[in-house]
Amino acid sequence: AGTAELHRTTDGGGSWSQLFQLEPFFANYGPIQFDPANPNRIYALARDSGLWRSTDGGASFVNISPFTPVGANYATGLAISADGNTIYYSTDGQQFFRSTNGGASFSERTAMPAIGSRLVVDPANSSVVYAGRFSTLLKTQNGGDTWLALTLPSGSNDFAVTPGSPNILWAN
């Protein structure tokens, strides 16, 4: 088992400093996102240990995840609402978790009908979440209680939701 490290640059990539290290740890970090309402709050998803949060701009991190990895079930997707209160994350075992209190607690929602490793929250409605992977696109309109299966165009690997126009999606 090796280690995984989180780094930051303050000069546009000229030099990097290590902020945080998990040990022992045998997989990489996944998505890193800032709370849109509080730039000192940073979330880092670690495949094997779930969701980590910093409230001090990255000086320290704590695990806030109820997820316990088992076998090959890894944490993969992360999305944060525009107000920072609703946080979603997913696993490649099709688990879906939601917090409506800024990460103080999480509840496991209905299992996704397919793996959704890329999560996007509708900026105008935090109950609407898109989850995708390869040509599969899922949508929940109620925070993960139920899922609709949609399809991305053939060959698409990623998607985006237009800010201010959540019914306009892009795929590539």
Side-chain angles (χ1 to χ4, degrees), residues 49-65:
S49 58
L51 185 59
W52 294 76
R53 177 181 62 201
S54 172
T55 58
D56 55 14
S60 63
F61 282 81
V62 296
N63 189 306
I64 61 168
S65 174

Side-chain angles (χ1 to χ4, degrees), residues 25-52:
F25 195 81
F26 52 88
N28 296 323
Y29 281 99
I32 300 168
Q33 291 192 15
F34 287 85
D35 178 334
N38 180 352
N40 284 318
R41 188 172 291 172
I42 305 166
Y43 296 89
L45 194 63
R47 280 181 37 132
D48 296 317
S49 58
L51 185 59
W52 294 76

Side-chain angles (χ1 to χ4, degrees), residues 44-100:
L45 194 63
R47 280 181 37 132
D48 296 317
S49 58
L51 185 59
W52 294 76
R53 177 181 62 201
S54 172
T55 58
D56 55 14
S60 63
F61 282 81
V62 296
N63 189 306
I64 61 168
S65 174
F67 167 68
T68 303
V70 176
N73 187 25
Y74 299 113
T76 57
L78 173 63
I80 303 167
S81 66
D83 66 6
N85 290 326
T86 305
I87 302 163
Y88 296 98
Y89 77 96
S90 62
T91 75
D92 63 0
Q94 298 169 228
Q95 291 173 285
F96 189 72
F97 297 91
R98 176 181 71 190
S99 172
T100 56

Side-chain angles (χ1 to χ4, degrees), residues 153-167:
S154 179
S156 296
N157 290 314
D158 200 5
F159 68 95
V161 178
T162 303
S165 299
N167 286 325

